[in-house]
Amino acid sequence: MRLKQFVGAVVAGGLLGISPALAETILVTDQAAYKKAVVGLEPGDKLVLANGVWRDFEIVFEALGEEGNPVSLIAETPGDVIISGQSNLQLAGEFLEVSGLVFKNGYTPTSEVISFRVDADTVANNSRVTGVVIDNFNQPERQEVDFWVMVYGKNNRFDHNHIVGKRNKGVTMAVRLNTEQSQENHHRIDHNYFGPRQILGSNGGETLRIGTSHHSLADSFTTVENNYFDRCDGELEIISNKSGKNIFRNNTFYQSRGTLTMRHGNNNIVEGNVFFGNGADHTGGIRVINAGQTIRNNYMEGLKGTRFGGALVVMNGVPNSPINRYHQVKDATITNNSLINSDNIQLAAGSDAERSAVPVDSEFAENLIFHDDARDVFTVYDDVSGIAFSENVLAPMDPPEFADGFRREAMALDRADNGLLYPANDIGAGAPHDLSVTTKNETGVSWYPKSEPIVAFGSGRTTNVSPEPNALFYAVSAAKAGDTLVLQSGNYVVSKFLKIKKPLTIKGKGKVNIAFERSALFQISDGGSLRLSGVNISGKDAPDNAGNAVIRTSPYAMLENYRLEIVDTHFSDMDVNHSFNIISTAKGTFADNILIKDSSFEDVTGAVLKLDTENDDYGIYNAEYLTIANSNFKNIQGALVDFYRGGTDESTFGPHFELTDSKLTNVGGGKRNKSAASIHLHGVQVTHISGNTFVDSKSFLINHTVGEPKTRVVDNKFVDTLLPKNYELNSGLEPTAVIENNRVKNQ
Amino acid sequence: MRLKQFVGAVVAGGLLGISPALAETILVTDQAAYKKAVVGLEPGDKLVLANGVWRDFEIVFEALGEEGNPVSLIAETPGDVIISGQSNLQLAGEFLEVSGLVFKNGYTPTSEVISFRVDADTVANNSRVTGVVIDNFNQPERQEVDFWVMVYGKNNRFDHNHIVGKRNKGVTMAVRLNTEQSQENHHRIDHNYFGPRQILGSNGGETLRIGTSHHSLADSFTTVENNYFDRCDGELEIISNKSGKNIFRNNTFYQSRGTLTMRHGNNNIVEGNVFFGNGADHTGGIRVINAGQTIRNNYMEGLKGTRFGGALVVMNGVPNSPINRYHQVKDATITNNSLINSDNIQLAAGSDAERSAVPVDSEFAENLIFHDDARDVFTVYDDVSGIAFSENVLAPMDPPEFADGFRREAMALDRADNGLLYPANDIGAGAPHDLSVTTKNETGVSWYPKSEPIVAFGSGRTTNVSPEPNALFYAVSAAKAGDTLVLQSGNYVVSKFLKIKKPLTIKGKGKVNIAFERSALFQISDGGSLRLSGVNISGKDAPDNAGNAVIRTSPYAMLENYRLEIVDTHFSDMDVNHSFNIISTAKGTFADNILIKDSSFEDVTGAVLKLDTENDDYGIYNAEYLTIANSNFKNIQGALVDFYRGGTDESTFGPHFELTDSKLTNVGGGKRNKSAASIHLHGVQVTHISGNTFVDSKSFLINHTVGEPKTRVVDNKFVDTLLPKNYELNSGLEPTAVIENNRVKNQ
């Protein structure tokens, strides 16, 4: 065993195991030493990065190993080598192996964090990245696109890695087939932990993509198996398959919004995967497009997804489809899947004037469909005679009427040792009993925690705050994540911005009046969330300035989605100048949810909610859920809400808007209210407005832009207020909003 | 002499001069010591801040001095006490004196930097702030409002201070009259150096304001004298007078855009002031509104301002005007002013349906009006019979026809020792020979440099750059302000953002081709400016991502205005995805000027210039001057420019747009081009489009929103392109754009 020492190097051969004869183990402690050592590595050599933080390190690992005798780049101790700052890793050559590194507290200066190439011509083959962590290694700008793992070349393996917290735009991991040297690649992607990825609020939030539409008729031969997808909620596609002959096997999808989408490419196999929805909104299963797809032995439970996000979706195609549209489903085999308490199976989905090619030569057999609610889970959008249905079993609902091949059987389900539900009796349908379920612990690495991403309101300490000058300011500054500040009775005059950088609850006790002297009272900054209750807020001391707000987000992009809850809180005197908004959000910020309950708002020169700053029509928006209940709005010159989701892509589930049991009086009539509406919804996907009273207010303006938005305006009372207008901007459809059972009274 | 020592204190009484008997001199070295020492100060005491940097220091200086025996807060050495971080100063009490401090590298956490009060009830009287510097002490957000000096109370003096570089929104200095204890205040504001204030690009950029409209009928008795206003270009009003009985005397206005505006309040005197325009755009003089104003013995030279920004403007009023509109000019005395080579005197300006009350009972006498160009400088908008004109002298032009009281005299002007031009002969008109001109050196402090705000392109070193990987990136990172990078022939593939943080010139030598792999090639960051020439830029390697750009500004607010010049540069293949713009600007950023010359642009899926991100209609915009000459635009799906200035206030001179001798072919026809126009101008104030050819392009959309925008579209050729549309959105006028001498040809 040859040994070399570089600047400050310590040989750790013993610790690192025995290398083959003549192989070297080289410990490097700085970038200069790394650059020197990486030249001339030979098969079997191990280049060891010393423990510590490596800042601004663009690692180029180019070498030639041999089969069974790779060149390795490893951590001195797995998990103790931190790559931070502006750093990345490029591999090129043959038989390389990288392990034990942690990428955190930084981002890549290029567009890729780990790349299996150094330039367009120089890729890595027969190489492996294993036991590597990428944790919140995000571009500072939410909408700046990059990719964490890009696999080029052939016969590469990416396994046992821990990948969590991608918050900016761009697929987390992708296999590229852009040149011949990266096609028919036989990569293996296995035993990775894909940890929580928050809702992106636009296209570009997939966790894994194999191929692109452009090269989707090429075969990839990539195997994706035994991975754990934990709340991968980025967008509509958890996995976007865009090439041929891939296998997706025995992966677990835990409460992840969206589906495994067979978007492009033919002859793929999806088998033995397990989807647990846990009843969460938009949890989906498998979406089938293209020819020769096999979907067998999968298990879906508790999936609530609808439309393209259902538990099982078989799409219509476009006749003679361009490469980037929808190819017809043909020769699909969908057998022995269990769909338990999952709400939607969609057949011939997406049928419209363009997507008119129905599924053909396909089979749907021996599937088990069970739903506690006896719900009819099927929606059939077009002719499904091209699908042969046979030996499918349902319970407890009646067989559907659109086809034979379903039978109802009485059954009880028991949970087996593998965690899945099976009928007590053998019914000859559904997923096999020996389905092996990949658990969280089997994926990623043992030495890095799989932690929870969210700190709940009220989970920390409680502190009392008195109305002394600056006391609230200092209390907010000092609070820890999850803390609650209880404001004692009195008048608070706040002369500085209250910057909310953690999840925080602010609660009034007795009569709490707050006035403020800056252009905003609260600023929610990155990492912050706010729950406000039991206080009265006046705008009377705010500066004589257009565009004040009570609560605003950081003007900078926020990587972390935030939550805002306003309960039993009363707002008044927001009229020192024009365009005084209650809640004002900035471009590049995104709320997971905004809740307003039991609150009142009076004399406001702007809007109550400005959620319309993503106006580039790139499909981006400001908030996923906006829910307003039992609240009162009076003399609001702007709209109750301006809610904007532009673009014509169909990649997001939101935004969602709900307004119930509230009263609006004189809302929307100000001359600066651009929409001239009391409620302005543009591209909102799910709208529910019921039990409200609208008095002397402007009408709503509801623009449907894409997809099949669900809008219901029912059981409201309109007094001297016109009924809503609904426009279908791109579909050419008649208005689809359901506007019914409303009472109209003009005085 | 009593002495006290605080933590680490050193007594410096000798150095600081002799205090009266029993007075103390207390040196403090940290905030805790300050807080202890400030309690119980007595007349004559001197509290001394030790030299060094005081970070995050909110100084509350509350004490009671006596006449002739003040309580002082002073620097150990003037200029060596730096107040930085989140800091400010509040004074309250009687007979206080503060001197020698420097506020820089920070900003106030409240809305005021120096405030003559600690709260609404507790002000400072008979107090003085002298020899203090505030240098670029700006809020991080350009549009966040604050104020650097707010004077409350009575009999205060603010003198010999150096105030430079306010870049965020908000008046630099104001006298408040909001309570009785601040009215009839007899303040004196003198010998201050008001250094360059860049164009704000919205309302709120005044340098000095006395009062507010609300209290404008109160008298202030403030004297503003011997100050130097050096390029105070913030907005239309350099000084905004909004109260009564103030005196503005012997101030120098050096090349400052805008006017001394007598916006509200009566019986003010403006005398002996000197305005040097140096021929710069929008340099103005005095604007007269309200009753009882005296404007005498002032000197204006080289002022190019037009409309409300002219050398001398007498406004029409609104009959029975509300307090915040225009009160009629009455009893104005305008005598013995010299207007030399100044382009505009406007009488009854602003006359319209609302402003119909013409000036009355006024005098315009013994003024000297001289213009080298023999230009007729008068514009008369309404009946001026209420102004008595007498003994005014003109040269060399003919007397105007609207009134008697003018005579022409042949004269030659000589520059006198005081720097002003006088007729060789005594003609009995114009400013007096003994007018004392305040010079820059007489203002501010001797120990702080009055430096130039702008580093010119090409003023630094020149460095050659070769097309090696990353060479351009490192060259840009290493460059200093004013440097030039000369790119040698070859192909450059840029894998990282090139962040421009200083004024930089990038110049091609031979054939230089640049492609880039991130979503933008250049990002202009705060402090950066770019001049680009002689290169070819292709978008072919840009990511498959909507919204790429070749040049973009920082997504964060930029405090410093930037310059962008593109000369002899050629752009192609900007079509990898939709909405690929050439130049894309972010909210909160502002270009002093953007120049495109001798360049070409081909195959662009977005716009060439996105200058429309200030869409809140707060009167903010993205660029002051956009000039395009001799360039070629072909197959541009978006507009050549989307240029947006919303709002209905009349506080800005810009934006300006000029397009000459260029050719547009197939521009604006993309389906995502919201305006559906090839040129989209909204609220642009000055537009000149001539000598161009438009082929097969969309029409222009020109929206006039406020003021009296000047739009000229002349001598162009329109081939298969409709003539422009001009809409007057708020004025109710017929379209005012001059669209003439264009040739139209449809094939």
Side-chain angles (χ1 to χ4, degrees), chain B residues 417-429:
Chain B
D417 288 345
N418 65 358
L420 308 185
L421 290 169
Y422 292 94
N425 308 327
D426 183 7
I427 53 154

Side-chain angles (χ1 to χ4, degrees), chain B residues 583-641:
Chain B
I583 298 168
S584 196
T585 66
K587 219 182 176 80
T589 68
F590 189 81
D592 268 339
N593 71 297
I594 299 177
L595 169 71
I596 294 176
K597 216 173 82 178
D598 306 333
S599 295
S600 71
F601 302 80
E602 197 165 337
D603 299 330
V604 178
T605 61
V608 174
L609 291 130
K610 285 288 281 181
L611 302 172
D612 63 348
T613 60
E614 299 289 4
N615 46 24
D616 292 315
D617 289 349
Y618 297 164
I620 309 172
Y621 51 105
N622 290 122
E624 187 67 13
Y625 293 93
L626 169 60
T627 307
I628 302 174
N630 193 36
S631 293
N632 216 323
F633 304 88
K634 193 172 170 187
N635 303 333
I636 314 290
Q637 294 186 25
L640 166 62
V641 60

